[in-house]
Every structure is written in C-alpha cells, then in structure tokens.
Amino acid sequence: YPGHGSIRYYENAGTSNYNALQVALNRRYARGFQFGVAYTWSKTMNYGDNDQTLVATYRPVDEWNYGLASYDQTHIFTANYILDLPRASKLWNNAAVRAALDNWQVAGIAALVSGAPATVGFTTVDAVDLTGGGDGIRVNVTGKVPLPRSERSFERWFDTSVFARPARGEFGNAGRTLFRLPGVSNFDISLFKNFPIKEAASVQFRCELYNAFNHTQYNGVDTTAR
C-alpha cells in the first residue's frame, strides 16, 4: 500500500502433523530388579513452531515455510532401572558385613536422542541489496549438506563447501532445514544404601552422578556462512 509500511494480518490457516511409532516395555519390581524401556520413532512437520508464525507473502508457502519442526527428533530411546545389589552377608554373615555391605541399590536413567533439525544462514560484507525486499533470502545449496557419521568432527559437523551466495535477484534454494544438530547420549546413575531402623523407617545414603561418564553434550553449531 503506497504510503504505508507492512500491514500484517493473522488467520487460523496453518497446520502441523506428528506421526510416530511408540513402544514401551516395563518390568515391575520383583526379585530386587525393575526396569523400563521406551522408544519413539517420529516425524513432526509444520509451517512454524508457534501460533503466530510469519509465513511467506510472495514465495510459495509450502516451499518456503513447510518443513521439519525445530523440535523434531527422529529417535528417542530412554531406559530406567533399579537393582538390589547382592547381600555380602550371604558369603560372610556378621554384624560388620551386614552394616557395611548389605542393602545397597543402584539405579539409573539413560537417554539416547537424535539431534534437532537446523539450517544455514548467511551474511555479506558488501551490503548489497540482493532482492529489494520481500520474504527474505536464503543461501544457495549446491550439494549434500549432511556428512556421514565417520566424517563428522568437532571442527566440521556438516559439509561447508556446498554453499554459495545467491546472485542479485535470486532468493536462494535452501530449504527450511538442512542437517541435524548433535544428539544427546546421557547416563545418570545413583548408588544408595539403606540403613533399616525399624519396619516403617530407615536412613538412606545416596551418591548421584549426573552425566556419569562426563560425556560432553554439544547443543549448537556455527550455522552462518560468510
């Protein structure tokens, strides 16, 4: 509209979808052992991650906006367990052994989760207006972005050689998502001992280890081409 800036309107027109295979296996506490395992294989697609997503005005919306949700995680595996450790007093039954080595338990939670989707943006140093306005601009992709697992490293998580600057008047061909961020593999372990006082009361000593194997969990990657 001549003489006006952008005039935006909101409508209930977006859609999203979630499809998944979900499996769970649980063993109730018996004979000093219980565990639970859950696995989800899923895919989430949408036009935006919130209820006021700004979609393209001039570009095809299905091409520009529709894609994997930023919170999509293909594989999610979790496991939990509690295990009563064998009583040492069965081998050597005396008061000291019962006090020090009986009534120990170990418990834990493990999580193996795929990384979330990500894309690549770009900046320039010459301040050239490539499009003159509109819905923005994206980088050009000239090849396959994800790297095989064997080729990924701390310095190179995806193939940085397959990106090019769009020419003047081009909008770029990059999709909404191009690769996945690092996933999560986390193990929390607890070790605790119960000191029975009477049938309805006891004192407990606990040692809890979060990220027990001290494995670094990276959650970000430099995604700006220059």
Side-chain angles (χ1 to χ4, degrees):
Y1 296 99
H4 295 272
S6 298
I7 299 177
R8 297 178 183 174
Y9 67 92
Y10 296 98
E11 62 176 341
N12 296 320
T15 61
S16 63
N17 63 76
Y18 172 81
N19 297 281
L21 168 68
Q22 300 178 350
V23 180
L25 176 65
N26 292 283
R27 181 184 190 273
R28 295 183 178 180
Y29 187 76
R31 298 183 179 180
F33 180 55
Q34 78 171 41
F35 72 87
V37 175
Y39 170 72
T40 299
W41 176 36
S42 65
K43 188 175 185 179
T44 307
M45 305 280 287
N46 62 22
Y47 287 94
D49 293 331
N50 57 65
D51 60 357
Q52 290 191 354
T53 295
L54 183 64
V55 297
T57 302
Y58 308 102
R59 306 293 296 162
V61 175
D62 287 343
E63 174 186 311
W64 196 257
N65 291 101
Y66 192 68
L68 292 173
S70 65
Y71 46 83
D72 175 74
Q73 292 172 297
T74 306
H75 303 285
I76 300 177
F77 173 84
T78 60
N80 65 83
Y81 59 90
I82 299 176
L83 173 65
D84 291 346
L85 298 180
R87 294 173 178 263
S89 60
K90 291 182 178 180
L91 300 177
W92 189 12
N93 190 8
N94 63 57
V97 171
R98 289 195 300 271
L101 301 179
D102 282 0
N103 300 312
W104 284 91
Q105 292 178 307
V106 62
I109 298 174
L112 303 174
V113 183
S114 297
T119 190
V120 171
F122 77 99
T123 62
T124 64
V125 296
D126 52 18
V128 174
D129 186 351
L130 298 175
T131 63
D135 296 314
I137 189 170
R138 293 177 178 173
V139 70
N140 274 337
V141 182
T142 62
K144 188 176 181 180
V145 178
L147 288 172
R149 186 178 297 273
S150 60
E151 297 181 19
R152 297 176 199 165
S153 65
F154 180 85
E155 293 82 10
R156 190 168 180 261
W157 186 255
F158 58 92
D159 191 347
T160 58
S161 67
V162 298
F163 299 97
R165 170 175 167 157
R168 188 187 293 253
E170 291 185 353
F171 293 94
N173 65 0
R176 180 175 163 187
T177 59
L178 297 174
F179 69 99
R180 287 188 177 272
L181 297 170
V184 173
S185 57
N186 189 68
F187 299 87
D188 299 333
I189 300 175
S190 298
L191 180 66
F192 42 93
K193 175 175 169 52
N194 296 305
F195 296 90
I197 298 175
K198 55 183 180 180
E199 184 176 356
S202 64
V203 175
Q204 187 177 82
F205 165 80
R206 299 181 67 95
C207 175
E208 298 185 339
L209 307 174
Y210 298 96
N211 191 18
F213 301 112
N214 198 30
H215 172 62
T216 305
Q217 309 286 342
Y218 295 105
N219 67 353
V221 175
D222 183 0
T223 58
T224 302
R226 299 173 181 84

